Amino acid sequence: YAGRRRPATRSTSGDSLVEVRTVSESEGKQMLEWPSIEKSSSFDERYDGGELFYVLEGAATISVSTFLNGVELDCYDLAPGQILAVNEPCALRWKVPKKLVLLTPTYTEGKLFVGVAALTLLSFGALFAFALGLGQ
């Protein structure tokens, strides 16, 4: 796979925990519809497996371990036009030297946004109902 710095770590099922590959131009065009995430500093994240990340802009080095702050098992360099597939539960340490733009269909912060927006609307609705009740 493109971007590999070390041999892939194998899980108990024989598959790599993560895979990195360069996508074709037609695949890349399809991914442009995915929600984006911008990162400008390094971060650690735990994944359940099944996540995909397409590198639109920037670069990063990811270290793979089985848990956060664990022993590094693999290390990959990511560049624009590559996709990172998280196959199984693992932790990734993202080393981001400058702005990184990722596209992903599994954007988890989007769910948080929907929850916060719904709670905000409910709160305003309750305040409005309370204000109407006082006016009578």
Side-chain angles (χ1 to χ4, degrees), residues 108-127:
T108 56
E109 292 176 20
K111 294 175 187 174
L112 177 63
F113 173 76
V114 171
V116 170
L119 184 60
T120 303
L121 286 174
L122 286 172
S123 298
F124 279 117
L127 286 172

Side-chain angles (χ1 to χ4, degrees), residues 83-94:
I83 192 165
L84 167 71
V86 179
N87 296 326
E88 296 194 31
C90 63
L92 300 180
R93 170 166 283 157
W94 296 75

